Structure formats: C-alpha cells, structure tokens
Amino acid sequence: MQQDQLIEHLCQVVPHLDALIIADYLPDGVVSPRVSEALLALVERNPQGLFLADSRERIAHFQSLVIKPNEVEARRLFYPGQAPASITLEALEKA
C-alpha cells in the first residue's frame, strides 16, 4: 500500500476506532515521516481515541501519543546522546 493510500485509509477509519496501536520495531522504523506526521494530525483531530506507540529506536517521534517504552527506549528518550547503560534507574525514575 502506498503512503497516500495508507494515509487516506487511516483518515477514514480512525474516527471509528476505539484504539490504534502503532508498532514501529525495525531499526530505521516502519512508519515513514510522512505517515507519522499524518498520524499526529489524526490524534489531534480525534482526541477521544486511544493512540499507543511502541517503537524500538524512534519513540521520541510519537510523544503526543501514549508511549510504552521499555527501560532502554526510555533512557534514549529522556537522555538522548547518552549511552543507555550509563543512566541509573534513579535518574530514569526522576525523568
């Protein structure tokens, strides 16, 4: 499915969904910047829905959604540019 078709389909179905889960697990992501931008716009237009994102490398791209980062992903999100292993759990809890 091309990006235009995917975005058009999302625009049609999102208002009728209770929830949408975005799973973006590949190292370079599977959600293109264009589709990501369209998703963020849909979230703004449909505040009644539940939008959840789970992404290994790009969780920061989905901050206006409910995010479910694991410890490493959260360390990368809150402390970009630092080695995840160097961030203590105490620092992560404060973040």
Side-chain angles (χ1 to χ4, degrees):
M1 182 178 286
Q2 294 180 347
Q3 289 184 60
D4 289 337
Q5 291 172 313
L6 177 58
I7 292 168
E8 182 179 329
H9 183 70
L10 286 167
C11 288
Q12 291 173 1
V13 300
V14 161
H16 307 286
L17 300 177
D18 293 325
L20 178 66
I21 300 170
I22 295 98
D24 189 49
Y25 295 121
L26 295 178
D28 293 327
V30 295
V31 179
S32 72
R34 190 158 160 246
V35 172
S36 179
E37 188 176 304
L39 283 168
L40 296 177
L42 283 167
V43 168
E44 288 181 22
R45 289 195 308 259
N46 296 278
Q48 75 286 355
L50 173 62
F51 297 87
L52 180 113
D54 191 358
S55 178
R56 292 280 184 259
E57 303 291 331
R58 302 172 341 126
I59 198 72
H61 292 193
F62 301 102
Q63 287 188 39
S64 64
L65 284 69
V66 174
I67 58 174
K68 190 227 53 82
N70 63 30
E71 282 182 35
V72 173
E73 295 160 353
R75 286 176 168 132
R76 288 180 184 149
L77 173 65
F78 293 115
Y79 297 95
Q82 293 185 29
S86 72
I87 301 156
T88 67
L89 281 177
E90 183 178 282
L92 188 57
E93 286 173 357
K94 287 180 182 177

